[in-house]
Amino acid sequence: EKGGYPHFMLKEIYEQPKTIIDCTRGRISADGSSVTLSGVMANKERFLNANRIIFVACGTSWHASLIGERLIEEMCRIPVEVEYASEFRYRNPVINKGDIVIAVSQSGETADTLAAVELAKERGAFIFGICNQVGSSIARATDSGTYIHVGPEIGVASTKAFTGQVTVMAMIALTLAHEKGTVTPEYFSEVIRGLQRLPELIERVLESDGRISELSKIFTYSRNFLYLGRGYNYPVALEGALKLKEISYIHAEGYPAAEMKHGPIALIDSEMPVVAIATADNIYDKTVSNIQTVKARGGKIIAVVTEGDTVVRAIADHCIEVPPIIECLTPILVSVPLQLLAYHIAVNKDRNVDQPRNLAKSVTVE
Ligand code: F6R
């Protein structure tokens, strides 16, 4: 049932070109002129008049939500907040009429997320779900939603669900932006074109697997890792660190690259590998200077860069390339090599990749 792969996690990483197709199927018109999400369109007025959108989620789904925040704010100009479901539910949160709560959950069974949904519902919010598991508790508790349709995810470490969640969030942002007229037709088309090309581009990223496996051997015995990213890729840094922690049991932290100088820089020495996401985006130059700072302190740099990059390549110890794509979709491409890096390090350490210690696939307890 692992389809010839040694672990479900690797199978699920490799499935991503296909799961993105399943996720966008019937939702993006073949000619790339429109996006249709029935759950959003059926509640169009509510979304267009929303004062605020609040994402509630846990773990990887919370990281995806941070990307959703950036997508919706950038494209739709609606204020967005992202909350850990466990914090939201015990904080007596301010929920106003006109707020939309979006619950994000692969399993649809996470206890804290379900409780956050129930609370928001009691207070009169409109609740939208982004789930994978059809008919799950969260999917049933929400007023409407969009399934990610990536198929069963068996590996405890979430991979294809994350890229599916981000893809759905990009489609939600596009749908609303189109209705609101908050993006130019050129931008709208470029994002759609990006979504259509994702499967082929993820295939290209997967071709680096052999190199990433080689690279992983250098870092098998590292005790700590730092992951740095900015903008759309800051949440990807958090997600990369979580993947490594949960399956290899190596301590890792994700940080917004520019926050380094406010503390974590003290940790940098030659024993500290730093995974730096430095794709060609509007803050590339700033990221380059953050990387230079790490280098000057002896940190070992593994950089994720856009194909053809020369500037970071000259500074970093190791580079992993991803193909160019519109900035807002880079998280989907960048997360793949980070999944692979965590996977190979965990395999090198002979960890139980699909069922890491102390973790369950659905966290149905508080
Ligand atoms: C990490 C992971 C967890 C889940 C979290 C939420 O790889 O799988 O952090 O993301 O437990 O689960 P769902 O999305 O099912 O609500």
Side-chain angles (χ1 to χ4, degrees):
E1 77 271 13
K2 291 183 197 147
Y5 291 96
H7 299 97
F8 282 109
M9 183 181 177
L10 191 62
K11 170 176 178 264
E12 289 160 6
I13 292 172
Y14 271 80
E15 269 173 0
Q16 289 174 108
K18 178 184 161 291
T19 55
I20 298 289
I21 294 174
D22 294 340
C23 176
T24 54
R25 179 174 293 122
R27 293 168 166 178
I28 296 178
S29 65
D31 65 359
S33 64
S34 64
V35 184
T36 315
L37 293 177
S38 51
V40 175
M41 291 315 281
N43 299 284
K44 194 168 109 181
E45 291 310 314
R46 247 184 238 280
F47 271 101
L48 295 183
N49 297 320
N51 295 324
R52 190 167 63 138
I53 290 175
I54 308 166
F55 280 100
V56 294
C58 305
T60 290
S61 299
W62 184 81
H63 295 153
S65 302
L66 290 176
I67 300 169
E69 172 182 31
R70 285 157 176 75
L71 287 163
I72 292 175
E73 289 201 340
E74 180 180 12
M75 288 194 227
C76 317
R77 313 313 300 161
I78 301 171
V80 180
E81 284 169 36
V82 182
E83 300 262 4
Y84 283 116
S86 57
E87 289 294 316
F88 179 82
R89 62 180 290 203
Y90 287 116
R91 216 195 46 233
N92 191 12
V94 177
I95 301 170
N96 298 310
K97 199 162 166 288
D99 288 345
I100 294 181
V101 170
I102 303 186
V104 186
S105 176
Q106 185 286 128
S107 63
E109 301 297 342
T110 301
D112 281 320
T113 310
L114 183 58
V117 165
E118 301 294 357
L119 173 69
K121 217 167 152 178
E122 271 166 35
R123 308 223 169 157
F126 175 75
I127 326 274
F128 194 84
I130 299 179
C131 296
N132 189 35
Q133 200 67 49
V134 176
S136 55
S137 304
I138 293 169
R140 280 184 283 121
T142 49
D143 296 304
S144 179
T146 301
Y147 283 114
I148 62 174
H149 287 314
V150 299
E153 192 179 62
I154 312 289
V156 162
S158 186
T159 53
K160 63 177 180 173
F162 176 78
T163 49
Q165 288 164 341
V166 177
T167 302
V168 161
M169 290 165 186
M171 291 190 290
I172 292 175
L174 277 173
T175 306
L176 297 178
H178 191 255
E179 294 293 325
K180 291 186 77 142
T182 40
V183 289
T184 63
E186 293 72 32
Y187 186 88
F188 182 81
S189 310
E190 199 182 340
V191 181
I192 292 199
R193 223 172 14 252
L195 287 169
Q196 289 172 319
R197 292 189 61 216
L198 273 175
E200 158 210 338
L201 300 182
I202 295 174
E203 290 289 1
R204 221 149 98 194
V205 174
L206 290 170
E207 286 166 16
S208 313
D209 190 16
R211 272 212 51 241
I212 296 170
S213 168
E214 281 309 306
L215 183 61
S216 73
K217 294 179 188 151
I218 306 173
F219 298 100
T220 304
Y221 300 102
S222 296
R223 304 284 306 271
N224 297 284
F225 263 79
L226 211 53
Y227 285 71
L228 304 178
R230 301 185 69 144
Y232 277 104
N233 285 303
Y234 158 52
V236 181
L238 297 179
E239 174 60 8
L242 178 63
K243 289 291 87 101
L244 187 71
K245 274 185 267 211
E246 63 183 337
I247 61 170
S248 74
Y249 318 149
I250 295 173
H251 170 250
E253 269 190 82
Y255 246 93
E259 272 294 306
M260 273 248 308
K261 57 183 171 296
H262 301 287
I265 196 163
L267 294 167
I268 307 278
D269 62 15
S270 61
E271 306 280 286
M272 177 66 95
V274 177
V275 177
I277 304 168
T279 43
D281 55 30
N282 71 340
I283 36 174
Y284 175 77
D285 294 342
K286 305 277 178 193
T287 309
V288 171
S289 65
N290 298 142
I291 294 174
Q292 271 158 341
T293 312
V294 172
K295 182 74 179 177
R297 282 151 188 83
K300 293 280 169 289
I301 297 157
I302 306 162
V304 181
V305 298
T306 305
E307 284 172 4
D309 180 285
T310 52
V311 177
V312 172
R313 185 166 287 278
I315 314 168
D317 297 273
H318 309 278
C319 275
I320 304 169
E321 290 188 333
V322 296
I325 192 164
I326 188 164
E327 184 173 345
C328 69
L329 298 179
T330 52
I332 297 173
L333 294 183
V334 172
S335 60
V336 177
L338 303 190
Q339 295 165 352
L340 287 168
L341 182 65
Y343 171 80
H344 288 297
I345 292 177
V347 170
N348 299 345
K349 297 180 89 77
D350 209 17
R351 301 299 194 215
N352 187 347
V353 173
D354 284 333
Q355 281 177 302
R357 67 185 182 200
N358 312 338
L359 287 172
K361 185 64 184 162
S362 322
V363 185
T364 51
V365 293
E366 276 197 46

